[in-house]
Amino acid sequence: EPEVTQTPSHQVTQMGQEVILRCVPISNHLYFYWYRQILGQKVEFLVSFYNNEISEKSEIFDDQFSVERPDGSNFTLKIRSTKLEDSAMYFCASSNRQGNEKLFFGSGTQLSVL
Amino acid sequence: GNSVTQMEGPVTLSEEAFLTINCTYTATGYPSLFWYVQYPGEGLQLLLKATKADDKGSNKGFEATYRKETTSFHLEKGSVQVSDSAVYFCALSEEGYGGSQGNLIFGKGTKLSVKP
């Protein structure tokens, strides 16, 4: 079965540094998402992306965050100036159409901000 | 706002035991309900879903019934296996049919460990 690939699996960074989390969605999918899970807390929706623009975002997704689809295969999440509270597992997901209830998730990137 | 509450883990069972993981939700409108599973080192995978009241989702021996009257979607399996060891997430989709299904609302997850 096709899968969503995320890299790196672990990322350690210093507070204030920029990080880019990378995702390769399934090739024929058109809708892309980022979620995160802070340790011990719920998986939270961050942003959805379609047709090269953000279609929806949560309150968490402030000006420090941005997403990009720089080419035909990658989907990235950038955190401009990391804070301690950004430490979390970040999940990328994709689906092939809006209204399709089956999201395919990657295995996540564990971000640790020191 | 909408939310999902599921039982705290971890849950440890012996092989062939009966499993129940409770999940209740708060929502306006008519959400769709899901169970996702995350095996060690892998991404979340859709296990089963139900889109309207009284629907029963089932897959791999797991079942859950959408109970509007009790706002619940409890996950059950009659006989667990060691390979079922994973983290299970209950989730709802705010829009229901035809809306944007991508912004799911998840519970915290329940870790299940099955011992041989």
Side-chain angles (χ1 to χ4, degrees), chain A residues 6 12 21 26 29-31 60 68 72 74 81 87 91 95 106:
Chain A
Q6 288 186 245
V12 180
L21 308 183
I26 293 172
H29 285 186
L30 301 176
Y31 296 85
I60 302 167
E68 193 178 31
N74 290 285
S81 177
S87 296
F91 294 103
S95 69

Side-chain angles (χ1 to χ4, degrees), chain A residues 76-94:
Chain A
T76 61
L77 175 69
K78 181 192 290 186
I79 308 175
R80 192 166 301 116
S81 177
T82 51
K83 303 186 287 287
L84 295 176
E85 54 265 38
D86 293 328
S87 296
M89 177 72 84
Y90 288 81
F91 294 103
C92 173
S94 68

Side-chain angles (χ1 to χ4, degrees), chain A residues 46-57:
Chain A
L46 293 179
V47 66
S48 58
F49 189 87
Y50 170 70
N51 199 26
N52 284 321
E53 61 183 22
I54 291 172
S55 46
E56 195 159 352
K57 61 183 180 179

Side-chain angles (χ1 to χ4, degrees), chain A residues 33 35 37 40-43 45 48 56 91 98-107, chain B residues 4 32 34 36 38 41-44 49 51 89 99-104 106-108:
Chain A
Y33 311 88
Y35 285 78
Q37 185 180 28
Q41 298 187 25
K42 298 184 178 184
V43 177
F45 168 75
S48 58
E56 195 159 352
F91 294 103
Q98 188 179 28
N100 180 357
E101 295 160 347
K102 186 169 185 178
L103 296 190
F104 290 80
F105 283 85
S107 56
Chain B
V4 172
S32 295
F34 309 84
Y36 277 81
Q38 185 180 26
E42 300 183 19
L44 288 87
K49 67 180 183 185
T51 57
F89 294 89
S100 172
Q101 304 288 352
N103 37 333
L104 296 167
F106 285 89
K108 284 189 179 183

Side-chain angles (χ1 to χ4, degrees), chain B residues 8-68:
Chain B
E8 298 281 335
V11 174
T12 302
L13 295 174
S14 297
E15 208 165 20
E16 299 183 3
F18 184 85
L19 169 71
T20 300
I21 300 178
N22 289 338
C23 172
T24 57
Y25 68 91
T26 303
T28 55
Y30 304 95
S32 295
L33 301 175
F34 309 84
W35 278 99
Y36 277 81
V37 58
Q38 185 180 26
Y39 298 104
E42 300 183 19
L44 288 87
Q45 303 173 26
L46 180 64
L47 180 61
L48 53 84
K49 67 180 183 185
T51 57
K52 59 184 187 296
D54 299 325
D55 266 4
K56 178 187 284 188
S58 61
N59 185 25
K60 298 181 181 179
F62 291 89
E63 292 183 342
T65 302
Y66 189 144
R67 301 281 188 207
K68 201 169 191 309

Side-chain angles (χ1 to χ4, degrees), chain A residues 107, chain B residues 37-45 82-88 111-113:
Chain A
S107 56
Chain B
V37 58
Q38 185 180 26
Y39 298 104
E42 300 183 19
L44 288 87
Q45 303 173 26
V82 172
S83 57
D84 294 325
S85 298
V87 182
Y88 292 82
K111 183 175 182 178
L112 170 67
S113 296

